[in-house]
Amino acid sequence: RVLDMTHVQSGPSATQLLAWLGADVVKLEAPGGDITRRQLRDVPGVDSLYFTMLNANKRSITLNTKTPRGREILTDLIARSDVMVENFGPGAIDRMGFTWERIQEINPRIVYASIKGFGDGPYTAFKAYEVVAQAMGGSMATTGFEGGPPMATGAQIGDSGTGVHAVAGILAALYQRTHTGRGQRVQVAMQHAVLNLCRVKLRDQQRLAHGPLAEYPNEDFTDEVPRSGNASGGGQPGWAVKCAPGGPNDYVYVIVQPVGWQPLAQLIGHPELADDPEWATPEARLPKLAKMFQLIEEWTTTQPKWRVLEELNRHNIPCGPILSTKEIIDDESLKANEIVVDVDHPERGTYTTVGNPLKLSDSPTTIHRSPLLGEHNHDIYTTELGLSAEELTGLRTDGVI
């Protein structure tokens, strides 16, 4: 059982993944509910997609932990949980009276996970948001085109990326518990998680000490890793090239491996470049990456991206079309793999969400809708904690739930 005291995205993304993996996740919300139930609503008066897509397969209870009775009930919930997860501001749970030491007294076997914006130090009290974490974790400084401003990525690496890191720590602590019998504290910072995902840029920062980075398309280098557009940044150069008819997502990302140069030269109508000493080797092509992708693009702009994809794959050239969000939500293969899933909701009707990306042979996942606010108060408080129906009514009247 997971006691889910999280809100917004970083925490709920972690506990949703645990729920998909089979945990009984009990989402504890203040009587007003997770703020994302009301944010970015597309249908008036019902839970937003922001909430529904981060809280699948969970049960919901409400509890005012600022009341004495609320804190007593929270104590009971901690005592019967295997994992507790929170992503409040620094010190918020401590101020409720539930320090790590107190939580250990209540339940020595519990794994207590916290997601914060930053680790201990000068940034500890900073408010953390997705793009703030990207800014301070190395992502924004290295994203964008040379000469342009730093850019955020559309992937939620600060929030959901941190959630995945938290799940790894929680599962490790649960496994360790099978040997020690004790729970432990798991702490993950959004800045740290983003930096972990940006490690190749930290690699390149150190490589700069030995001269310019040849695989980057940039002409000028300072003492910092530059923004390099769509360059792969790896051992094999890559770039997003335009395709017909020239719409905003009519692009294919192409990677040029040594073995792929000969068939690619044929495809783009320059077979002579396969044997030309000025082009034939990766070392010869590195100083001319911009020209190389220009030649490729002269070919790709003459046909649609799906035709380009077909031709490149026929010659085993690594590539991928730039898929728009509309193309992704309509993609039949993603639906067949249950990573794009339709779910029925009693108030908003059918909506589409992302399914479990982790596929376990003996533990298939069925995606269930997110819970309504306090939908499981009776089940958990009466059936599981043993409160009477009269007390439940009293708690509701007193504003405890």
Side-chain angles (χ1 to χ4, degrees), residues 49 63 217 234 316 340 349:
L49 289 168
L63 186 66
N316 293 316
V340 172

Side-chain angles (χ1 to χ4, degrees), residues 14 103 105 128 221 232 287 308:
I103 290 169
E105 290 175 0
F221 287 85
S232 69
V308 171

Side-chain angles (χ1 to χ4, degrees), residues 111-127:
V111 172
Y112 174 32
S114 294
I115 296 174
K116 298 290 177 273
F118 308 94
D120 292 337
Y123 311 135
T124 303
F126 283 22
K127 288 187 175 179

Side-chain angles (χ1 to χ4, degrees), residues 317-334:
I317 296 167
C319 61
I322 307 303
L323 296 182
S324 70
T325 49
K326 184 179 187 307
E327 288 173 311
I328 287 172
I329 211 167
D330 292 335
D331 190 286
E332 291 302 323
S333 68
L334 294 176

Side-chain angles (χ1 to χ4, degrees), residues 148-203:
M151 300 288 288
T153 175
Q156 303 292 285
I157 60 175
D159 277 323
S160 289
T162 305
V164 175
H165 283 78
V167 169
I170 290 166
L171 296 180
L174 284 171
Y175 186 73
Q176 179 74 355
R177 191 180 73 175
T178 65
H179 297 281
T180 66
R182 299 190 309 276
Q184 58 181 301
R185 191 87 159 87
V186 175
Q187 300 183 77
V188 184
M190 294 168 67
Q191 182 192 29
H192 300 173
V194 170
L195 179 55
N196 185 44
L197 297 174
C198 292
R199 65 175 58 226
V200 297
K201 299 301 181 180
L202 212 59
R203 172 203 69 192

Side-chain angles (χ1 to χ4, degrees), residues 387-401:
L387 276 60
S388 66
E390 292 76 18
E391 184 170 7
L392 198 65
T393 301
L395 293 175
R396 211 172 275 121
T397 302
D398 296 339
V400 177
I401 63 172

